[in-house]
Amino acid sequence: MVKPILKLITVAKEVGVVTRKYPYESPLLTEEFRGKIEIDASICWGCGACVKACPSNALTIRESMDVMELVYFAGRCIFCGRCADVCPTGAIRVTKEFELATDELEDLEQVVIHRKVKCPICGKHFVPQPLEKYVCEKCAKGEIPTYMMVCPECRRKVGVKKMIRCKGG
Ligand code: SF4
Ligand code: SF4
């Protein structure tokens, strides 16, 4: 019993102090350290991939008829960085921020708002994806026929019908 303890003391002496007196000393933030995330609203598509990947429901979607909101609540975040891994546009950045104590819940929330457009065929409101956003902008200027503004589902149906027609069906 004495031998292992002596060995432990020797190792401890060799290694030295490995802990810090946080918060009296600054913490050791390594290159790999992960804190809360930040979402760049200007390049977020609203695709929802990050929401599906989030294991703790820190990312959720709030929907109404006109808008879709991507909501990040840092109070539930486990700082795993999975959302940043799956984001197709690189809109999510993992920061080194981890001191999040606050008495205002809103301080822990980031909301990215996506406006929906109305499909002229089925009337469903949907969040336009990048190509659709481009098309919608052009449509608004009257440069592209409005049928291009339809929701993905209706566009698929129109596409299938066209294919059948092309094949003489
Ligand atoms: S870092 Fe992990 S827990 Fe936090 S929002 Fe992203 S996926 Fe969810
Ligand atoms: S942050 Fe990335 S993964 Fe999440 S909705 Fe926006 S584009 Fe999609």
Side-chain angles (χ1 to χ4, degrees), residues 1-20:
M1 187 65 191
V2 180
K3 253 187 175 179
I5 292 174
L6 282 175
K7 197 176 174 191
L8 205 62
I9 293 169
T10 319
V11 170
K13 271 184 182 168
E14 276 172 17
V15 174
V17 179
V18 291
T19 54
R20 294 197 181 198

Side-chain angles (χ1 to χ4, degrees), residues 34-161:
R34 294 187 301 256
K36 72 183 272 261
I37 61 154
E38 270 174 10
I39 307 168
D40 184 344
S42 66
I43 52 172
C44 171
W45 289 351
C47 67
C50 55
V51 177
K52 284 195 186 125
C54 179
S56 65
N57 282 344
L59 285 160
T60 49
I61 284 176
R62 267 197 310 240
E63 284 204 74
S64 68
M65 198 169 82
D66 298 328
V67 294
M68 186 274 257
E69 294 176 337
L70 172 65
V71 184
Y72 169 58
F73 180 57
R76 290 187 68 93
C77 182
I78 57 170
F79 305 159
C80 65
R82 185 82 190 100
C83 51
D85 291 343
V86 301
C87 177
T89 66
I92 296 180
R93 187 174 74 87
V94 179
T95 72
K96 294 200 186 303
E97 227 180 295
F98 72 98
E99 292 167 314
L100 306 174
T102 175
D103 48 14
E104 295 292 338
L105 272 184
E106 293 80 45
D107 294 346
L108 300 175
E109 201 175 77
Q110 185 188 355
V111 182
V112 177
I113 299 172
H114 292 278
R115 304 252 161 244
K116 290 184 182 178
V117 295
K118 191 176 172 187
C119 173
I121 296 178
C122 68
K124 199 173 110 187
H125 289 76
F126 67 103
V127 177
Q129 293 299 299
L131 173 65
E132 287 133 16
K133 270 185 187 149
Y134 171 79
V135 170
C136 289
E137 277 163 21
K138 295 286 175 191
C139 280
K141 289 177 195 160
E143 291 170 24
I144 290 177
T146 42
Y147 68 81
M148 293 286 283
M149 268 177 88
V150 300
C151 72
E153 212 173 303
C154 289
R155 198 174 316 135
R156 241 188 327 268
K157 284 180 193 162
V158 171
V160 170
K161 274 185 196 161

